[in-house]
Amino acid sequence: MGDDIIDLQNVTLSLPSHAGLVNILRGIDLKVPKGEATGLVGPSGSGKSTLLMVLAGLERPSSGQVHVAGEDLGRLDEDGLARFRRDHIGIVFQSFHLVPTMSALENVAIPLELAGYKDAFVRAEAELRQVGLGHRLSHFPAQLSGGEQQRVALARAVAGDPEILLADEPTGNLDQETGEGIISLMFELHAKKGTTLVLITHDEALARRCDRMIRLRDGLVESSSVGVRP
């Protein structure tokens, strides 16, 4: 793999439906160098979110090779995939997926505690302050705006210093101004931590801010172009 932290070879994924098998990924070849920011774009149904699920080990491909962060995901059982995600992957979804009965601090700290971090609450507080939420530590999700909830989700995703940050339409539920703030913060954290970023977005202008933009169509890589990051 060399310096490629992500290496997919001829990855296919088909799922059953009432009309028969649906071919979602139809032979994806993709290499992502360590530390790169990659923007994935494409029309609805092109396979973007499914590809992200495969990278995270949340969906098993029908065929092909998936190597991520030095692991051959095809050789791991479900427990092994859970450990892989814990040790290597941070994920930010369009929906915030916060636990409503936990404070912002607990939402970030508890996953760290379960992963074995002795300083889970100290680390969680530091990450929340990093994303500008030092004054919201004890607030519950219902007491936070959408942008603040996504900041909590982002803090949770990066608190364990993952090698790879996967973001699936992270601004989809936010207004434009709030979304811009989240994206700027994500790029800032990516640069500061040296994390490999894979960003799924419908916004091509945003994808071009990455080091590289990959366009998917009908479950295939249609094109790859160098970004125009400032």
Side-chain angles (χ1 to χ4, degrees):
M1 283 199 333
D3 292 330
D4 295 322
I5 195 168
I6 294 171
D7 185 358
L8 274 58
Q9 298 177 24
N10 197 28
V11 170
T12 71
L13 194 149
S14 302
L15 294 175
S17 74
H18 293 301
L21 278 182
V22 178
N23 300 314
I24 301 174
L25 302 179
R26 301 193 299 121
I28 296 283
D29 292 314
L30 177 65
K31 294 179 185 289
V32 177
K34 186 176 178 63
E36 182 179 86
T38 301
L40 289 178
V41 298
S44 296
S46 60
K48 303 186 301 294
S49 293
T50 301
L51 178 57
L52 182 141
M53 298 288 274
V54 168
L55 292 176
L58 291 167
E59 196 75 72
R60 289 187 182 274
S62 303
S63 64
Q65 297 290 316
V66 180
H67 290 89
V68 181
E71 295 280 1
D72 179 352
L73 301 196
R75 300 173 66 91
L76 301 179
D77 60 15
E78 292 305 316
D79 288 342
L81 288 170
R83 287 192 295 271
F84 158 77
R85 283 189 293 274
R86 179 196 69 192
D87 295 339
H88 301 288
I89 303 290
I91 309 177
V92 181
F93 294 102
Q94 180 174 335
S95 299
F96 316 126
H97 293 300
L98 302 179
V99 180
T101 56
M102 290 184 181
S103 68
L105 182 62
E106 289 168 333
N107 263 284
V108 179
I110 298 303
L112 290 172
E113 204 168 47
L114 293 173
Y117 286 89
K118 305 263 189 242
D119 61 343
F121 279 83
V122 172
R123 184 183 284 254
E125 180 174 346
E127 290 297 344
L128 284 166
R129 292 190 183 282
Q130 184 75 29
V131 299
L133 290 178
H135 62 306
R136 292 284 204 236
L137 300 178
S138 61
H139 286 64
F140 292 92
Q143 298 172 305
L144 302 173
S145 69
E148 287 172 333
Q149 289 185 63
Q150 193 61 298
R151 284 171 181 257
V152 175
L154 181 55
R156 180 182 59 191
V158 301
D161 289 329
E163 293 177 77
I164 301 170
L165 179 62
L166 305 175
D168 190 358
E169 297 281 9
T171 63
N173 285 334
L174 306 174
D175 62 74
Q176 184 172 353
E177 183 178 352
T178 304
E180 271 295 318
I182 290 293
I183 290 300
S184 295
L185 184 58
M186 188 172 295
F187 278 124
E188 181 183 319
L189 291 171
H190 154 72
K192 181 178 180 181
K193 293 174 176 285
T195 307
T196 302
L197 172 64
V198 178
L199 171 64
I200 290 178
T201 178
H202 65 278
D203 184 347
E204 291 197 11
L206 171 55
R208 289 193 191 97
R209 289 171 58 184
C210 296
D211 299 307
R212 186 166 50 130
M213 183 176 77
I214 304 290
R215 187 187 304 277
L216 298 186
R217 185 177 294 276
D218 296 329
L220 291 165
V221 173
E222 182 180 59
S223 64
S224 172
S225 57
V226 176
V228 290
R229 276 184 77 177

